[in-house]
Amino acid sequence: MTRIVKSKLKKQSKSRRPARGRRRSGYWLLQDAKARFSELVRRVRSEGPQHVTVHGRDEVVVIAAEEFRRLKGDLTGQALVAAMQASPHRDIDIARGRVPMRVRDVAL
């Protein structure tokens, strides 16, 4: 093969490569995610979680706020209340009382 044919083949194969930062759907290089953050957020809403890679490794996944809240769990205490109500020992009466604290007299 001549050099001219080889260089043409190299040019053709390079043009078929996926666009920078979009090697796989839902994966972004860090610099592309920073430069096109609005697009990243839109894709999270329309396509689901988006992965951001640094040096070829998954570093973070951007997800929608509703999904984050669902995964994190409810911090209202409802799970604790539900667990206590489901307990077979829920009829036990727990007395609420304060133990008086001893206070010493101080001469001023």
Side-chain angles (χ1 to χ4, degrees), residues 86-102:
S87 170
H89 306 292
R90 72 177 200 206
D91 295 331
I92 295 174
D93 190 25
I94 300 174
R96 288 188 236 152
R98 295 183 120 202
V99 177
M101 293 179 51
R102 293 179 48 193

Side-chain angles (χ1 to χ4, degrees), residues 25-65:
S25 178
Y27 285 80
W28 298 70
L29 297 174
L30 178 62
Q31 63 266 22
D32 293 335
K34 289 191 306 187
R36 300 192 336 244
F37 189 71
S38 295
E39 182 183 348
L40 174 69
V41 171
R42 278 193 298 276
R43 286 194 182 195
V44 166
R45 303 291 294 158
S46 64
E47 298 174 15
Q50 300 290 306
H51 301 254
V52 178
T53 62
V54 177
H55 302 295
R57 294 186 324 252
D58 263 358
E59 288 296 324
V60 298
V61 177
V62 181
I63 61 173

